[in-house]
Amino acid sequence: DWAYVEFPVSKGYHTYKWSYYKDASGNKGDDTYYVDNITFCKIIEPEGDVWIKYDNDEYVTSIGQDTKSPLYWGIKVPNTYMYLGNSITKVALYDNDSATYTANIYIGGDNAPEKLVSTQKFSTKGSKTMFEVELSTPVTIDPTQPLWITMYCDELYYPASACISQNNPNSDYISSDGKKWDHATEAN
């Protein structure tokens, strides 16, 4: 089974090693392992707008329920070392419908957001374009913690605008209570 894995790496020289140890199952199975798509990222120097995102800004659909009810959705960035020295100054979502939303930014948490560090309400008009919200207080990125950027709305049936996915497993979190988070494809 393939698994997507990220590891933060501190500055300096490192040696990377992958090992495979044969188990006692004899010659069953492939008796091998595979490592694929290894990517090393450098720190992005703060210059102009740098967006953290997992989509291509092309709207596809909206996610929600058959009744107006609270809905939270967002992304998790587990490895933020490449953004060392940067701050979040804006958030954006596709403005599909007129409503009031709340943008929340959290630091920490593997399966759910942990520490709320910024919250900001804003209203949209249904412009059918990407809508940017300037944060009243910039959020400094902590490279030692996962970063969660979430949205909340309780005014629409289907408030969570979804753009074309880039197949990142951290790009489609959804929650009905803001505490238990699932991937949108797994939510009931």
Side-chain angles (χ1 to χ4, degrees):
D1 293 329
W2 287 98
Y4 175 86
V5 179
E6 287 187 22
F7 296 101
V9 179
S10 60
K11 186 176 181 178
Y13 293 96
H14 300 278
T15 301
Y16 299 94
K17 178 181 177 182
W18 287 265
S19 298
Y20 172 75
Y21 297 96
K22 175 73 178 101
D23 63 17
S25 67
N27 291 329
K28 294 180 182 176
D30 288 341
D31 281 337
T32 189
Y33 73 95
Y34 303 93
V35 177
D36 188 23
N37 198 18
I38 300 169
T39 304
F40 295 94
C41 299
K42 70 174 190 169
I43 293 175
I44 297 171
E45 297 298 326
E47 52 182 71
D49 286 345
V50 176
W51 286 94
I52 300 172
K53 62 183 186 174
Y54 293 130
D55 64 50
N56 64 357
D57 298 341
E58 291 184 39
Y59 174 76
V60 175
T61 190
S62 291
I63 300 168
Q65 301 176 25
D66 291 332
T67 60
K68 290 182 184 178
S69 55
L71 188 68
Y72 301 79
W73 67 99
I75 65 170
K76 176 179 79 169
V77 185
N79 181 358
T80 57
Y81 279 92
M82 67 189 84
Y83 301 106
L84 180 66
N86 287 278
S87 294
I88 299 172
T89 59
K90 294 188 243 182
V91 294
L93 83 159
Y94 186 84
D95 180 13
N96 194 49
D97 290 302
S98 176
T100 300
Y101 295 86
T102 303
N104 295 308
I105 301 175
Y106 298 84
I107 302 294
D110 291 322
N111 299 314
E114 279 183 6
K115 180 182 175 188
L116 180 65
V117 294
S118 176
T119 186
Q120 188 161 328
K121 285 191 176 192
F122 62 95
S123 296
T124 61
K125 298 182 180 186
S127 67
K128 308 296 186 211
T129 61
M130 290 304 290
F131 184 85
E132 295 180 7
V133 178
E134 190 84 29
L135 298 178
S136 54
T137 304
V139 175
T140 302
I141 295 175
D142 177 352
T144 66
Q145 297 288 322
L147 170 72
W148 289 75
I149 302 171
T150 71
M151 299 288 175
Y152 167 80
C153 183
D154 62 1
E155 298 177 5
L156 301 170
Y157 291 96
Y158 298 93
S161 299
C163 293
I164 293 177
S165 171
Q166 302 301 300
N167 296 319
N168 187 298
N170 297 301
S171 67
D172 70 336
Y173 284 96
I174 195 162
S175 174
S176 61
D177 62 8
K179 296 176 183 165
K180 182 183 180 296
W181 291 77
D182 293 305
H183 291 284
T185 55
E186 300 168 2
N188 332 17

